[in-house]
Amino acid sequence: MKFVEVCYNENGDSMTLFMYLLMTCIIVCLVFIWYINTYNKFQSYIIRMNEAEANIDTILRKRFDLLNKSISIIKANAEIEEDILSNIVKLRSRKLTNFDLDRELYEAINEFNHYKESYPVLQTSESFVKIDLGLNETETEIYACRKYYNDIVTDYNKIVRTFPSNVISKICHLKEKTYFDGRNMNDDILNDFKL
């Protein structure tokens, strides 16, 4: 009888220990799977942001090239001797972020539109009209890419800031991203939306 009780206690203790080890392994595996899944989600957002930035780069390059081509056309058709679209010429040697380049190109487009309105003779030039249409197309494209990029950044920033995924973002040193307009929504600057 005592032999049966001793065997039962030894088997019971080993079964209990086995159950604890099994439960611990299951919990560790679940945490590890969750970590990998969340990390991969971060990487997916980063890849999508990089893709959107590459598309924005392409459109900004197209816009820059169109404005650059327009310089000689405006000078030839409007017979202007002064420097036109001078900030486009200056952009060739500067290294800018997409945010800054976009702002600079908007200023150049405003100057381009000024020449378009001030010199109606430019509307008769087929090359000038093609550039104008191209600039309008890039406006639509950049708007769509900017919206796509900002939507991805919103989703990415949500998982960077919310628990429990923020634990992984801290471990992996992942920071919030700024929106395409370059405005930081978390700072104390109130003039972000100043027109």
Side-chain angles (χ1 to χ4, degrees):
M1 196 71 166
K2 288 186 179 188
F3 176 73
V4 173
E5 287 179 17
V6 170
C7 288
Y8 177 76
N9 284 341
E10 287 177 7
N11 286 341
D13 287 341
S14 62
M15 282 299 279
T16 306
L17 180 63
F18 176 74
M19 290 303 286
Y20 284 134
L21 287 175
L22 181 66
M23 292 301 280
T24 304
C25 285
I26 290 172
I27 291 171
V28 167
C29 287
L30 288 175
V31 169
F32 186 68
I33 290 169
W34 169 78
Y35 177 87
I36 290 172
N37 187 30
T38 306
Y39 180 80
N40 287 340
K41 188 184 257 186
F42 278 115
Q43 294 307 311
S44 173
Y45 282 120
I46 290 169
I47 290 168
R48 288 174 54 204
M49 281 187 281
N50 290 340
E51 175 191 12
E53 284 180 10
N55 291 338
I56 290 169
D57 283 342
T58 303
I59 296 166
L60 291 176
R61 170 54 66 182
K62 181 179 176 183
R63 186 180 273 183
F64 175 81
D65 291 342
L66 287 169
L67 287 167
N68 202 23
K69 287 179 189 175
S70 73
I71 294 172
S72 59
I73 295 170
I74 292 171
K75 281 186 174 185
N77 289 303
E79 298 176 9
I80 301 172
E81 295 298 323
E82 64 190 50
D83 284 341
I84 61 169
L85 298 173
S86 57
N87 51 347
I88 288 295
V89 175
K90 292 175 189 172
L91 286 178
R92 292 179 189 154
S93 62
R94 292 175 58 196
K95 294 185 188 261
L96 299 170
T97 65
N98 281 348
F99 304 128
D100 295 329
L101 180 60
D102 188 45
R103 287 189 191 110
E104 294 285 338
L105 290 176
Y106 266 115
E107 290 177 23
I109 288 172
N110 287 336
E111 190 177 345
F112 174 87
N113 288 332
H114 166 73
Y115 286 112
K116 182 172 76 171
E117 293 168 5
S118 299
Y119 298 94
V121 70
L122 291 171
Q123 294 295 337
T124 61
S125 169
E126 186 178 326
S127 301
F128 184 84
V129 171
K130 282 183 181 177
I131 289 173
D132 190 31
L133 288 172
L135 287 173
N136 289 334
E137 285 175 13
T138 62
E139 180 60 32
T140 305
E141 292 170 354
I142 199 81
Y143 175 78
C145 285
R146 193 182 299 136
K147 181 172 178 3
Y148 176 69
Y149 179 83
N150 287 339
D151 288 345
I152 296 168
V153 167
T154 298
D155 293 340
Y156 175 82
N157 287 344
K158 282 180 189 175
I159 65 171
V160 166
R161 293 186 78 175
T162 58
F163 182 80
S165 58
N166 67 342
V167 173
I168 294 172
S169 70
K170 287 182 193 295
I171 291 170
C172 297
H173 306 289
L174 299 172
K175 306 265 187 239
E176 285 185 65
K177 301 286 186 179
T178 57
Y179 292 95
F180 184 78
D181 61 7
R183 295 177 179 140
N184 184 353
M185 301 304 178
N186 298 318
D187 61 14
D188 294 331
I189 299 172
L190 300 175
N191 294 332
D192 276 346
F193 298 101
K194 187 175 180 181
L195 296 176

